[in-house]
Amino acid sequence: MRLNAFWIDDFPKPTELPLCEELPAKSDVAIIGSGYTGLSAALELASRNAEVVVLERHTIGWGASTRNAGITGCGLKRGSASIFQRYGVYLGHLFWEESLRALETIKELIHHHSIDCHFSQQGDLCLAVKESHFQAMSAKAEWHARVLRHELKVIPREELGNEIGSHAFHGGLLDEHGAALHPSKLLFGLATAAARHGARLCENMEVKRIQKKAQGFRLITEQGELQADHVLLATNGYTDRSLPHLQPKVIPIGSYVIVTEPLNPHLLQEINPQGRVFWDSKWFLNYFRLTPDGRFLWGGRNDLSTNLELHRSAELLRQQMITVFPQLSQVAITHSWSGHLGLTFDLMPHMGQVQGMVYALGYGGHGVHLSVHLGREAARFIEAGKSESPFLRIPHITVPFYRGKPWFLPLVAQYYRWKDRLS
């Protein structure tokens, strides 16, 4: 079993991807972080003839953008009904429409730049682990139809056999927007397109310090210094003490994944006859899908920390997997890995400025479509100095005594375990 993301093994960084050999002295925009947010922004800015440098501490795409499950769709971490209640009807509709545009952004970029990332939109199916959860699904479908004009299909337990090869669930809620893709191929497709338009991609280029100047910024790295008119912080769940004004605004949460060896065609058809992507209704949720080469991927956030040992993680995830799919009990696990998602205290994505630097983060596990979209929106904000994005309109709250070390996560984890037991 390999302790690294399957996606990078399956599709490593292309050898022909041009990388920056020397740090340039000046740039219009410096982007810190080479995930979907940073690369989408770099592509947008470079295509508008801006000089762009992407600074990556490790290798291109090292973080969550190549460690996620490759599941996307619409919506935000915070449920739409809760968003309407908190922010009102007007902003509620704006956030919903923005989430739909985010999915369209991925489709547009894939098509325009000919990125072959196995995009497949066969719908996502949320599965009820308890009867009470299924009853709540009916109410959610009614609210979405009435308020958002968005159809969700309620699937009762007796019809689930057409959707999934498991008897573990009490029903489901199908959203036809749900889609699957290959995270690494999307990442390097964006990187290649950005480089083709002139963006400079710099690996192993950790930014030690950023100084605000009268005109622009001075970025200090071990390999030299860079003067930039603008800075975009695209670090999300990997934001650390090097960005002290941003770190308290985001909480790093660990998400853990395993992948099996390739399954035989009969088993593939039995487990997922419709080609859906899945997630369950628990607070400590699991998500799962088939990979393009016929493996089974199972992931979850059963430990909110970012440092659960990966062999132990694989044991826990495998036990969950075979509880739901006993037919996989003899299938070997080939990969176990984790990644950091970025969560905010209000469970909303945010775009804004700190110390004159633009940032976009806080996707809360919905980062595939949101990060690509908000990266582009952040680029347009830098270029035009304004944006209509609703993610700029809401306050970005933090809490006292939090300076980037999430001491409260064990308490939060226990609270969610309690909610899963009692719901």
Side-chain angles (χ1 to χ4, degrees):
M1 185 175 66
R2 294 176 59 82
L3 303 183
N4 60 275
F6 159 74
W7 305 113
I8 286 289
D9 273 0
D10 189 58
F11 189 79
K13 180 177 64 182
T15 57
E16 65 273 17
L17 179 66
L19 298 175
C20 183
E21 296 183 359
E22 290 187 13
L23 184 67
K26 297 176 63 178
S27 180
D28 295 331
V29 184
I31 297 174
I32 302 177
S34 68
Y36 296 146
T37 304
L39 293 175
S40 174
L43 173 56
E44 178 71 15
L45 289 162
S47 67
R48 294 170 180 261
N49 299 316
E51 294 183 354
V52 183
V53 175
V54 178
L55 303 171
E56 169 56 51
R57 173 185 298 172
H58 299 290
T59 55
I60 297 298
W62 179 87
S65 294
T66 53
R67 299 169 187 262
N68 65 84
I71 294 173
T72 190
C74 60
L76 310 179
K77 170 67 174 177
R78 194 180 191 100
S80 291
S82 175
I83 291 173
F84 270 65
Q85 184 178 27
R86 179 162 184 161
Y87 299 107
V89 172
Y90 177 70
L91 274 179
H93 278 292
L94 287 184
F95 283 124
W96 172 251
E97 291 163 5
E98 198 74 1
S99 82
L100 295 176
R101 277 194 286 272
L103 183 58
E104 292 305 311
T105 296
I106 289 184
K107 294 181 182 179
E108 177 189 329
L109 291 174
I110 288 172
H111 173 74
H112 185 72
H113 298 286
S114 302
I115 301 174
D116 181 11
C117 60
H118 303 281
F119 184 87
S120 174
Q121 192 170 19
Q122 301 300 321
D124 65 71
L125 181 59
C126 179
L127 297 155
V129 298
K130 294 183 179 181
E131 179 62 30
S132 60
H133 296 188
F134 179 65
Q135 297 304 321
M137 287 177 175
S138 297
K140 179 177 179 179
E142 187 279 329
W143 187 91
H144 270 246
R146 176 169 49 86
V147 177
L148 299 177
R149 301 293 187 264
H150 176 230
E151 182 179 353
L152 298 172
K153 182 179 180 182
V154 178
I155 301 177
R157 186 171 195 168
E158 59 269 21
E159 296 178 15
L160 273 185
N162 298 323
E163 299 286 346
I164 186 171
S166 173
H167 301 289
F169 302 104
H170 294 260
L173 194 61
L174 176 64
D175 188 338
E176 297 288 356
H177 285 87
L181 53 78
H182 193 301
S184 181
K185 290 186 177 183
L186 174 60
L187 184 287
F188 290 119
L190 292 173
T192 300
R196 188 186 306 124
H197 282 82
R200 301 183 184 185
L201 310 179
C202 302
E203 293 187 328
N204 304 307
M205 197 71 69
E206 181 175 3
V207 177
K208 297 294 188 180
R209 195 163 71 255
I210 305 174
Q211 295 178 347
K212 181 77 172 71
K213 310 295 287 185
Q215 297 293 326
F217 299 86
R218 176 182 176 223
L219 293 85
I220 301 167
T221 78
E222 290 183 349
Q223 285 74 35
E225 298 182 3
L226 170 67
Q227 304 290 328
D229 296 331
H230 304 277
V231 174
L232 171 60
L233 308 175
T235 49
N236 198 33
Y238 295 86
T239 306
D240 62 14
R241 288 179 296 179
S242 66
L243 301 171
H245 299 286
L246 186 61
Q247 190 180 24
K249 294 179 179 292
V250 62
I251 311 160
I253 300 292
S255 199
Y256 296 84
V257 190
I258 55 174
V259 161
T260 71
E261 63 187 347
L263 308 182
N264 68 60
H266 174 76
L267 196 51
L268 292 173
Q269 179 64 22
E270 175 187 339
I271 286 175
N272 190 359
Q274 308 299 333
R276 314 283 195 205
V277 294
F278 302 96
W279 51 289
D280 67 29
S281 61
K282 299 193 303 292
W283 288 91
F284 263 116
L285 63 83
N286 289 110
Y287 48 85
F288 46 99
R289 58 165 291 192
L290 299 177
T291 65
D293 65 340
R295 300 166 186 263
F296 187 80
L297 179 150
W298 179 275
R301 290 187 273 281
N302 303 288
D303 187 309
L304 296 179
S305 74
T306 58
N307 56 6
L308 181 63
E309 198 277 321
L310 291 179
H311 287 95
R312 175 60 178 158
S313 169
E315 292 174 6
L316 294 171
L317 292 173
R318 180 180 179 276
Q319 187 56 54
Q320 296 164 3
M321 179 184 74
I322 64 176
T323 298
V324 175
F325 295 101
Q327 59 268 54
L328 297 179
S329 61
Q330 301 303 311
V331 176
I333 305 300
T334 64
H335 293 73
S336 173
W337 73 92
S338 68
H340 300 184
L341 60 91
L343 196 68
T344 59
F345 287 99
D346 58 5
L347 305 182
M348 292 290 287
H350 286 272
M351 191 165 75
Q353 289 182 287
V354 289
Q355 303 293 297
M357 297 176 288
V358 178
Y359 69 86
L361 49 66
Y363 313 120
H366 290 61
V368 176
H369 60 297
L370 290 173
S371 59
V372 173
H373 182 64
L374 279 184
R376 187 164 75 171
E377 289 300 303
R380 291 174 175 176
F381 177 68
I382 289 172
E383 197 236 357
K386 61 181 181 178
S387 171
E388 298 301 319
S389 173
F391 299 109
L392 274 168
R393 299 189 182 192
I394 54 176
H396 193 163
I397 62 172
T398 184
V399 299
F401 311 113
Y402 175 59
R403 294 295 181 269
K405 184 177 181 180
W407 50 268
F408 44 79
L409 284 186
L411 298 175
V412 175
Q414 190 59 38
Y415 171 70
Y416 284 138
R417 291 189 184 101
W418 176 77
K419 293 193 73 169
D420 275 335
R421 284 196 297 269
L422 297 184
S423 60

